[in-house]
Amino acid sequence: MFVPTCEGALWWPAQKTLIVSDLHLEKGSSYAQRGQLLPPYDTASTLQMVEALAARFVPVRIISLGDSFHDRASEERLSNKDCVRIRALTAKYDWHWVEGNHDPAPPAHLGGRGTHALGIGSCVFRHEPTGAVGEIAGHLHPVVKIGGRGRSVRRKCFVTDGDSLIMPSLGTLTGGLNALDPVVAACFTSRPMHFASSGPGVRFVDRATLLPDRRGYAGGSGWRL
């Protein structure tokens, strides 16, 4: 039994394990290098969420499901203060960095253990979803667009068919892929369920209320993985 949180993390009480995905640390500084200036606070904000979740659940183990860093040079742009915060987390908890497509080799000097995939009991944790039974993955940053009363809202969501699950991104500046996108549907053998962030909790969302994105929206055909 896993407990989803409104921030986009999973808590596994039986294993005292906290799972987070797609932190994309230093995404803001990556964009700044290309001339798109964003507030340089995304790493600090994301780490604050991880620290708060760890304080709430007091895990023995923390698994970060890949794309923890936005690119291979992210470690060079980390502030000294943020490096200290990451090392404090990896020293306090049994921290596992699952390899992502953005960060196939997480920085060794920040602590923790790198792995391509991690198996615990009947569950396997990896970055890119394959639809395997017992799999918990990230990569796709699923969100739902919910319509009603003449307006719509977007919320990060967990997508599952009961056999496997795709987690949302926890990163502050990360976008999201509409959960109705064929890329998401292809990860499941049966029609999946959607559980979206809602205030302080997570709730089941009726598929009939979900809306697709208009063609060309960032969550549609132009989505970059």
Side-chain angles (χ1 to χ4, degrees):
M1 184 65 69
F2 292 86
V3 180
T5 77
C6 61
E7 297 89 348
L10 271 181
W11 170 238
W12 191 3
Q15 292 285 339
K16 294 185 178 180
T17 296
L18 179 67
I19 305 105
V20 297
S21 187
D22 294 270
L23 304 179
H24 282 269
L25 301 177
E26 290 303 307
K27 180 175 181 177
S29 62
S30 175
Y31 274 57
Q33 287 186 327
R34 290 177 282 168
Q36 186 173 345
L37 300 183
L38 296 173
Y41 310 120
D42 58 301
T43 294
S45 177
T46 300
L47 289 176
Q48 184 176 27
M49 278 195 289
V50 176
E51 291 164 344
L53 286 162
R56 185 194 316 172
F57 293 108
V58 193
V60 171
R61 179 192 298 116
I62 296 181
I63 303 170
S64 186
L65 283 184
D67 285 2
S68 304
F69 302 88
H70 188 65
D71 57 51
R72 300 189 186 195
S74 291
E75 62 176 301
E76 301 170 7
R77 302 192 303 274
L78 283 168
S79 69
N80 290 334
K81 183 177 180 179
D82 289 334
C83 283
V84 170
R85 295 173 74 179
I86 294 171
R87 291 192 190 105
L89 286 166
T90 58
K92 186 173 183 179
Y93 308 102
D94 181 17
W95 188 287
H96 297 263
W97 302 105
V98 174
E99 297 174 3
N101 57 297
H102 282 252
D103 56 352
H109 70 92
L110 294 177
R113 290 183 280 176
T115 181
H116 177 67
L118 179 65
I120 302 176
S122 60
C123 295
V124 59
F125 300 87
R126 63 168 55 94
H127 180 59
E128 296 189 31
T130 66
V133 173
E135 176 184 84
I136 295 177
H139 185 53
L140 296 180
H141 306 194
V143 298
V144 287
K145 183 178 180 182
I146 307 169
R149 300 182 180 179
R151 65 187 184 95
S152 65
V153 296
R154 292 173 71 82
R155 295 288 184 269
K156 63 175 62 179
C157 75
F158 300 82
V159 187
T160 179
D161 62 357
D163 288 328
S164 64
L165 182 145
I166 301 176
M167 291 183 61
S169 167
L170 194 75
T172 299
L173 284 183
T174 51
L177 177 65
N178 192 303
L180 295 181
D181 191 284
V183 172
V184 178
C187 298
F188 302 97
T189 56
S190 58
R191 176 173 287 190
M193 299 172 287
H194 305 85
F195 296 86
S197 298
S198 178
V202 176
R203 68 181 181 90
F204 170 75
V205 181
D206 186 345
R207 188 180 179 89
T209 66
L210 301 185
L211 300 174
D213 286 324
R214 64 183 182 274
R215 185 173 179 83
Y217 184 79
S221 60
W223 177 251
R224 293 183 60 199
L225 301 176

